[in-house]
Amino acid sequence: MTLDHLFDNNRVWARDIEQRTPGFFSRLQQQQSPQYLWIGCADSRVPANEICGLLPGELFVHRNVANVVVHSDLNCLSVMEFAIDSLKVKHIMVVGHYGCSGVKAAMENLRIGIADNWLRHVQDVRHQHKDWLFSLPEGQTRLDALCELNVLEQSLNVCHTTVVQDAWARGQEVMVHGWVYGLHNGLINDLRMSVANPVALAEAYSQALAKLKQRYASRT
């Protein structure tokens, strides 16, 4: 099977971009200067640039299964360091999505292969909040809640990395945000966890968690 249709699509896409913004690619190759780092899920249904309405060069992206940030993941840490130290991004968005297969597997103890080990981090989130989480109705409500909890915990992990802590210590402007994307409507849900310095971290997390639980109170 050939992939000629992908090359055809690429030529159409490149032509359309150049027609809308003449000289776009000539300018793009000179440098990239994004203001944002997106840490999201590898799910093919979550196209970061398109969701935010941004062009190539405007959004630096790191993706993995279930948008997990692990302190020993040198891949993610390297992306963060390059984004902060070299590109000087001002915003880091940790973005999960409702209907995440990785979160579902972690919730339901589904075995899917080597990724089971990676998803133990999401199961850790489930265990951390199990008393509240399992008080919710089983099914979509509980899965949605774990998607949101996972974003809050991974945002917290971002804030605790040496990369972000060092940036804050030297006075660099970096704000971390926690968002969830809706596959069902294409809209981003802001979980109201936005942190710009270590002093505000604990309070921002506590308030975001309280608001999350408040939203789900009406579903029980």
Side-chain angles (χ1 to χ4, degrees):
M1 179 180 178
T2 66
L3 298 177
D4 290 345
H5 63 291
L6 297 184
F7 291 98
D8 291 340
N9 291 346
N10 169 248
R11 284 189 286 270
V12 171
W13 171 79
R15 185 185 65 235
D16 290 346
I17 290 286
E18 190 66 23
Q19 286 178 347
R20 291 200 303 269
T21 312
F24 175 81
F25 292 106
S26 298
R27 292 190 298 274
L28 186 63
Q29 69 180 344
Q30 300 303 317
Q31 65 175 2
Q32 60 170 336
S33 54
Q35 297 293 302
Y36 318 100
L37 167 60
W38 172 291
I39 300 177
C41 183
D43 194 300
S44 62
R45 299 168 295 176
V46 188
N49 280 74
E50 288 86 345
I51 288 171
C52 295
L54 297 175
L55 291 170
E58 295 182 325
L59 186 68
F60 205 57
V61 178
H62 174 77
R63 301 172 70 167
N64 61 54
V65 176
N67 46 273
V68 171
V69 178
V70 184
H71 297 304
S72 58
D73 181 4
L74 298 184
N75 184 2
C76 183
L77 293 177
S78 296
V79 170
M80 289 175 56
E81 183 180 64
F82 185 77
I84 293 172
D85 293 3
S86 298
L87 299 178
K88 308 300 182 185
V89 300
K90 289 182 168 51
H91 298 274
I92 300 175
M93 296 91 78
V94 179
V95 189
H97 67 94
Y98 301 112
C100 179
S101 298
V103 170
K104 180 180 174 64
M107 172 66 84
E108 300 178 358
N109 296 311
L110 301 177
R111 295 296 302 272
I112 58 177
I114 196 169
D116 298 339
N117 301 282
W118 180 254
L119 292 174
R120 286 293 304 175
H121 299 292
V122 184
Q123 288 186 321
D124 289 343
V125 176
R126 182 193 69 179
H127 295 329
Q128 181 179 346
H129 299 277
K130 65 180 180 180
D131 291 341
W132 175 77
L133 192 59
F134 284 91
S135 72
L136 297 175
E138 187 175 2
Q140 194 60 51
T141 296
R142 198 177 292 177
L143 289 172
D144 287 351
L146 183 54
C147 286
E148 294 187 19
L149 288 171
N150 186 50
V151 166
L152 291 188
E153 296 300 331
Q154 305 312 325
S155 299
L156 193 64
N157 287 346
V158 168
C159 294
H160 283 151
T161 62
T162 56
V163 179
V164 171
Q165 289 285 323
D166 288 348
W168 283 342
R170 62 177 177 261
Q172 186 171 342
E173 182 183 346
V174 179
M175 181 170 283
V176 179
H177 310 266
W179 297 351
V180 182
Y181 172 69
L183 294 175
H184 61 291
N185 60 10
L187 299 178
I188 295 170
N189 179 18
D190 184 356
L191 297 184
R192 303 300 178 185
M193 181 172 173
S194 294
V195 188
N197 60 72
V199 176
L201 178 54
E203 182 66 18
Y205 171 79
S206 296
Q207 289 188 3
L209 182 59
K211 289 176 182 176
L212 186 159
K213 292 181 177 180
Q214 187 177 32
R215 287 196 305 275
Y216 281 86
S218 61
R219 303 194 193 185
T220 57

